[in-house]
mmCIF file of all heavy atoms in Angstrom:
data_model
loop_
_atom_site.group_PDB
_atom_site.id
_atom_site.type_symbol
_atom_site.label_atom_id
_atom_site.label_comp_id
_atom_site.label_asym_id
_atom_site.label_seq_id
_atom_site.Cartn_x
_atom_site.Cartn_y
_atom_site.Cartn_z
ATOM 1 N N GLY A 227 147.640 -1.743 112.755
ATOM 2 C CA GLY A 227 148.237 -0.590 112.089
ATOM 3 C C GLY A 227 147.233 0.203 111.271
ATOM 4 O O GLY A 227 147.342 1.424 111.152
ATOM 5 N N SER A 228 146.219 -0.472 110.712
ATOM 6 C CA SER A 228 145.169 0.231 109.957
ATOM 7 C C SER A 228 144.421 1.181 110.879
ATOM 8 O O SER A 228 144.168 2.343 110.532
ATOM 9 C CB SER A 228 144.189 -0.774 109.347
ATOM 10 O OG SER A 228 144.835 -1.811 108.635
ATOM 11 N N ALA A 229 144.046 0.671 112.055
ATOM 12 C CA ALA A 229 143.301 1.489 113.011
ATOM 13 C C ALA A 229 144.174 2.597 113.586
ATOM 14 O O ALA A 229 143.707 3.723 113.806
ATOM 15 C CB ALA A 229 142.742 0.602 114.121
ATOM 16 N N GLN A 230 145.450 2.294 113.849
ATOM 17 C CA GLN A 230 146.357 3.331 114.350
ATOM 18 C C GLN A 230 146.515 4.451 113.331
ATOM 19 O O GLN A 230 146.522 5.638 113.684
ATOM 20 C CB GLN A 230 147.717 2.716 114.666
ATOM 21 C CG GLN A 230 147.753 1.841 115.897
ATOM 22 C CD GLN A 230 149.101 1.169 116.067
ATOM 23 O OE1 GLN A 230 149.648 0.588 115.116
ATOM 24 N NE2 GLN A 230 149.654 1.247 117.271
ATOM 25 N N ALA A 231 146.668 4.087 112.061
ATOM 26 C CA ALA A 231 146.862 5.099 111.014
ATOM 27 C C ALA A 231 145.620 5.963 110.864
ATOM 28 O O ALA A 231 145.713 7.184 110.695
ATOM 29 C CB ALA A 231 147.217 4.426 109.689
ATOM 30 N N LEU A 232 144.440 5.351 110.922
ATOM 31 C CA LEU A 232 143.214 6.134 110.811
ATOM 32 C C LEU A 232 143.059 7.053 112.020
ATOM 33 O O LEU A 232 142.679 8.223 111.881
ATOM 34 C CB LEU A 232 142.005 5.215 110.681
ATOM 35 C CG LEU A 232 140.653 5.916 110.544
ATOM 36 C CD1 LEU A 232 140.638 6.880 109.353
ATOM 37 C CD2 LEU A 232 139.527 4.896 110.412
ATOM 38 N N LYS A 233 143.377 6.554 113.201
ATOM 39 C CA LYS A 233 143.262 7.389 114.395
ATOM 40 C C LYS A 233 144.250 8.554 114.331
ATOM 41 O O LYS A 233 143.923 9.681 114.719
ATOM 42 C CB LYS A 233 143.503 6.548 115.646
ATOM 43 C CG LYS A 233 143.165 7.264 116.964
ATOM 44 C CD LYS A 233 143.242 6.300 118.137
ATOM 45 C CE LYS A 233 143.091 7.024 119.480
ATOM 46 N NZ LYS A 233 141.728 7.541 119.705
ATOM 47 N N ALA A 234 145.450 8.309 113.819
ATOM 48 C CA ALA A 234 146.408 9.404 113.633
ATOM 49 C C ALA A 234 145.851 10.440 112.670
ATOM 50 O O ALA A 234 146.015 11.654 112.861
ATOM 51 C CB ALA A 234 147.742 8.859 113.123
ATOM 52 N N LYS A 235 145.166 9.974 111.633
ATOM 53 C CA LYS A 235 144.572 10.896 110.657
ATOM 54 C C LYS A 235 143.461 11.725 111.305
ATOM 55 O O LYS A 235 143.303 12.910 111.015
ATOM 56 C CB LYS A 235 144.044 10.103 109.456
ATOM 57 C CG LYS A 235 143.820 10.921 108.197
ATOM 58 C CD LYS A 235 143.479 10.030 107.017
ATOM 59 C CE LYS A 235 144.684 9.303 106.478
ATOM 60 N NZ LYS A 235 145.567 10.194 105.681
ATOM 61 N N VAL A 236 142.690 11.091 112.185
ATOM 62 C CA VAL A 236 141.647 11.817 112.906
ATOM 63 C C VAL A 236 142.275 12.886 113.802
ATOM 64 O O VAL A 236 141.816 14.035 113.853
ATOM 65 C CB VAL A 236 140.774 10.857 113.738
ATOM 66 C CG1 VAL A 236 139.752 11.641 114.566
ATOM 67 C CG2 VAL A 236 140.052 9.861 112.837
ATOM 68 N N TYR A 237 143.343 12.525 114.506
ATOM 69 C CA TYR A 237 144.034 13.503 115.353
ATOM 70 C C TYR A 237 144.590 14.656 114.506
ATOM 71 O O TYR A 237 144.576 15.816 114.933
ATOM 72 C CB TYR A 237 145.170 12.841 116.124
ATOM 73 C CG TYR A 237 144.751 12.148 117.391
ATOM 74 C CD1 TYR A 237 145.215 10.870 117.690
ATOM 75 C CD2 TYR A 237 143.904 12.767 118.313
ATOM 76 C CE1 TYR A 237 144.844 10.225 118.869
ATOM 77 C CE2 TYR A 237 143.527 12.126 119.485
ATOM 78 C CZ TYR A 237 143.999 10.859 119.761
ATOM 79 O OH TYR A 237 143.641 10.235 120.929
ATOM 80 N N LEU A 238 145.071 14.350 113.310
ATOM 81 C CA LEU A 238 145.571 15.398 112.426
ATOM 82 C C LEU A 238 144.442 16.364 112.068
ATOM 83 O O LEU A 238 144.631 17.580 112.054
ATOM 84 C CB LEU A 238 146.154 14.764 111.161
ATOM 85 C CG LEU A 238 147.436 15.360 110.574
ATOM 86 C CD1 LEU A 238 148.591 15.224 111.541
ATOM 87 C CD2 LEU A 238 147.782 14.676 109.258
ATOM 88 N N PHE A 239 143.268 15.793 111.769
ATOM 89 C CA PHE A 239 142.089 16.599 111.459
ATOM 90 C C PHE A 239 141.730 17.499 112.635
ATOM 91 O O PHE A 239 141.347 18.665 112.452
ATOM 92 C CB PHE A 239 140.922 15.666 111.112
ATOM 93 C CG PHE A 239 139.604 16.344 110.919
ATOM 94 C CD1 PHE A 239 139.304 17.010 109.738
ATOM 95 C CD2 PHE A 239 138.634 16.323 111.924
ATOM 96 C CE1 PHE A 239 138.082 17.639 109.557
ATOM 97 C CE2 PHE A 239 137.415 16.945 111.751
ATOM 98 C CZ PHE A 239 137.131 17.606 110.565
#
Side-chain angles (χ1 to χ4, degrees):
S228 310
Q230 288 175 312
L232 181 56
K233 190 172 172 70
K235 199 172 285 284
V236 176
Y237 277 134
L238 219 63
F239 174 78

